[in-house]
Amino acid sequence: MTKVLIIGGGYGGITVAKALDDVAEVVLIEPRETFVHNVAALRAVVDPSWADRIFIPYDGLLANGRIRRAWAEKVTADARVELRGGDVEIGDYVVLATGSSYPYPAKIGIGERDQLAETHRALEKAEHVLLVGAGPVGLEFAGEITAAWPGKRVTVVDRADDLMPGDYPDEFRVSLRRQLDERGIRITTEPVDADLRFDCFGATPETGYADLPARRPDGRLAVNPDLRVCGTENIFAIGDITALPELKMARLAQMHARVAAANIRALIEGRTDLTTYQPQPDAIVLPLGPHGGVSYGPEAGVLGPEQTAAIKAGFYLDQYRELLGQP
């Protein structure tokens, strides 16, 4: 049977693994014990009832394939994967889905699970919280903190004068700024002292293992429209690590995964009619705690706090539990 190695068990990795489990020998190489639902990580910091729910076991993901708990140290263009410790896996196809690192707590790194309770206690005690970065993470975190502790001082500092980089209409930012003002969240470009500080910027693609000419100076991988890594025949890249001109989001990583899986299936079946991926326009669902937020999509337009809160009420947790085969 055709062997497909998938490096990374994040949103894209689990999606492509599940999609190919019936047609290939799938090996998901991932060092973590559980999938981490980072979409809900900021809620888990302020609401302890979420702290365990965002960690979902991998053991129900694959019916036929297997999970190998290991670090990929090196991947070469001939589909050879060297693992930490010296073992080697060789696949007919390789999918690189290692995502990006990001400062805690927006992404929970290995060994950081136990910090959630400590961070919650620190937030409870702090009189003034500083968030550095007025992008989606900083603003969502500000919303979560002020929803959990109304009246707590929260300041968001950023070098830019405007909120939220991206191609969003004025109506989107007007609604966002109004809600931030109502909560007393201060936005500034000036240095600020506070009791507690969190960095909310600095996504870094995790591609240090990729011994491939398509790896750019910024760490991202150049890919063809079929999502094969440029200069290779049987290595695909999906999610945050790609150099595609679009936002880096879990939703888009899963879209990449479906295209990559369809193309690998086609190649296994001897077909050449591969699917191409079109970079997506800017769109976002930005909650500000359980009852606020603002969303935008080219088709839906701008959606206000009630609609946004309803869309992300459960942070899609049931969807990912189902994908991972958990009741």
Side-chain angles (χ1 to χ4, degrees), residues 252-277:
L252 299 184
Q254 291 189 277
M255 290 179 68
H256 298 178
R258 287 188 280 270
V259 170
N263 287 339
I264 292 172
R265 183 180 291 270
L267 291 167
I268 290 172
E269 295 172 354
R271 294 187 286 112
T272 59
D273 56 329
L274 301 189
T275 302
T276 60
Y277 177 80

Side-chain angles (χ1 to χ4, degrees), residues 11 14 26 54 73 130 239 245 282 285 292 299:
Y11 292 99
I14 61 173
V26 171
I54 66 171
E73 292 278 12
L130 173 62
D282 290 357
V285 179
E299 296 182 0

Side-chain angles (χ1 to χ4, degrees), residues 1 25 67 80 111 129 151 159 206 224 229 269 278 283:
M1 182 176 281
E25 178 191 352
I67 313 292
R80 175 186 171 92
V129 180
R159 292 179 299 176
E206 294 284 356
N224 295 313
V229 175
E269 295 172 354
Q278 297 294 329

Side-chain angles (χ1 to χ4, degrees), residues 15 57 60 67 71 101-102 108 122 127 150 154 174 224 247 258 269 307 319:
T15 301
I67 313 292
W71 288 93
S101 61
Y102 198 93
I108 312 296
E127 293 184 3
V154 175
V174 167
N224 295 313
L247 298 174
R258 287 188 280 270
E269 295 172 354
Q307 291 165 298
Q319 170 188 326

Side-chain angles (χ1 to χ4, degrees), residues 73-214:
E73 292 278 12
K74 187 176 182 179
V75 175
T76 54
D78 57 355
R80 175 186 171 92
V81 179
E82 298 179 12
L83 304 176
R84 184 174 296 178
D87 284 357
V88 173
E89 292 268 12
I90 298 176
D92 297 292
Y93 298 94
V94 177
V95 181
L96 308 181
T98 42
S100 58
S101 61
Y102 198 93
Y104 170 90
K107 284 194 174 181
I108 312 296
I110 292 176
E112 292 179 336
R113 178 174 182 169
D114 294 338
Q115 293 185 34
L116 287 172
E118 180 182 342
T119 304
H120 179 83
R121 289 192 294 269
L123 281 166
E124 272 189 322
K125 294 177 182 178
E127 293 184 3
H128 185 192
V129 180
L130 173 62
L131 306 176
V132 182
V137 172
L139 299 181
E140 180 176 340
F141 200 10
E144 291 290 348
I145 294 168
T146 53
W149 296 284
K152 189 179 292 291
R153 287 181 64 200
V154 175
T155 299
V156 181
V157 64
D158 198 296
R159 292 179 299 176
D161 292 329
D162 207 355
L163 301 175
M164 284 292 295
D167 186 16
Y168 304 111
D170 291 343
E171 182 186 353
F172 173 88
R173 290 188 175 86
V174 167
S175 176
L176 180 56
R177 189 171 288 278
R178 176 182 56 77
Q179 293 181 64
L180 296 172
D181 289 344
E182 288 173 353
R183 294 161 179 261
I185 297 167
R186 180 188 174 202
I187 311 294
T188 182
T189 58
E190 301 174 357
V192 173
D193 290 325
D195 304 319
L196 200 57
R197 166 183 168 147
F198 295 92
D199 287 341
C200 301
F201 67 93
T204 304
E206 294 284 356
T207 58
Y209 60 86
D211 186 15
L212 302 168

